[in-house]
Amino acid sequence: MRRTSFAGMNCSVAGALEIVGEWWTFLVLRDAFLGVRRFEDFQRRLGIARNVLTARLQTLVGHGILERRRYQERPERYEYRLTDKGLELHPILVSLMEWGDKWAGVADAPPMELIHKGCGHRSKPFMVCDHCGEPVRARDMQPVTGPGWNDGEELAPHLIPGPLASAPEGAGAAPTPTG
C-alpha cells in the first residue's frame, strides 16, 4: 500500500511537518506537556491570537495528538489532553529544547531543566539503539531505503538501497556507517 505524499514528497519528515511543523504548534505542545489544558490558559501563556490557537488545537485534535474533554456543561467548556500519539512527541520536544539550550544562546542558564522522577537527578535523555542499547548519534546511523521507498526517486548521497520489505530479518548485506 502506497502512502499519500506530503508537499509532493514521499517522506516521513515531510508528513510529520505537515502536522506539527507550524511554529505555534510546538509551543502549544510544550505547554500541554507542562500541564496546560484549557484554551484560555494556552492563550494567556502564549500570547497567541485566538483564531491561530483555535486552528492549532483543531489540527492537533484532528490528528489525534490532543483530545478534547468536556470539563463544564453550562456553558460547555473543554480542555485538551495529550493522547498516546501526542506523548510520543516528547523526545522531539526535549531534543528541540536541548538544541535551543546549546545553540540559541542560553547554554549558561537554560530556562528549564528536566529531573528524572525515578532517581531525582537532572537528566538529558539521549538516543540509544533499540537493538543493542548503545548510544547513537547522526554519524553512527546508516540511512537505507525502506519498504515505502519510491523506486523512481533519486537517492541522496548517504542513502543506500535497503533490504527488500519481503526479505526475512537479517537478509541482505549489512550497511556500513557513513562518516
Side-chain angles (χ1 to χ4, degrees):
M1 175 165 104
R2 209 34 89 160
R3 289 175 183 82
T4 305
S5 65
F6 299 93
M9 295 180 226
N10 180 26
C11 174
S12 300
V13 173
L17 289 174
E18 192 76 22
I19 298 167
V20 298
E22 200 274 336
W23 188 76
W24 284 109
T25 301
F26 264 104
L27 294 177
V28 170
L29 288 170
R30 177 206 61 197
D31 274 12
F33 277 105
L34 292 173
V36 177
R37 306 267 186 263
R38 298 181 179 176
F39 185 95
E40 296 79 17
D41 296 332
F42 282 113
Q43 203 274 324
R44 185 185 71 255
R45 284 181 45 80
L46 296 172
I48 184 174
R50 295 180 71 80
N51 63 324
V52 174
L53 178 57
T54 297
R56 297 292 50 118
L57 291 170
Q58 286 174 345
T59 296
L60 292 167
V61 169
H63 285 283
I65 294 168
L66 293 176
E67 66 180 9
R68 285 179 74 199
R69 290 188 190 168
R70 185 172 35 212
Y71 70 88
Q72 181 177 310
E73 299 240 357
R74 291 207 171 131
E76 246 185 27
R77 293 187 191 260
Y78 293 86
E79 62 182 15
Y80 297 87
R81 300 261 180 166
L82 289 158
T83 63
D84 288 342
K85 185 176 181 179
L87 289 169
E88 287 194 22
L89 288 166
H90 187 256
I92 298 165
L93 190 65
V94 169
S95 293
L96 279 171
M97 182 182 84
E98 289 179 8
W99 188 91
D101 287 349
K102 183 174 182 177
W103 298 104
V106 297
D108 55 338
M112 184 169 38
E113 295 178 313
L114 299 173
I115 304 294
H116 180 229
K117 289 180 181 179
C119 70
H121 289 90
R122 286 188 190 107
S123 179
K124 289 190 176 192
F126 60 93
M127 285 183 27
V128 297
C129 174
D130 68 338
H131 181 72
C132 70
E134 286 189 21
V136 293
R137 294 169 302 281
R139 290 193 170 121
D140 298 328
M141 304 299 285
Q142 172 63 57
V144 300
T145 59
W149 180 259
N150 178 353
D151 290 332
E153 284 186 59
E154 175 186 353
L155 292 174
H158 292 290
L159 180 65
I160 64 172
L164 298 175
S166 60
E169 188 173 323
T176 57
T178 59

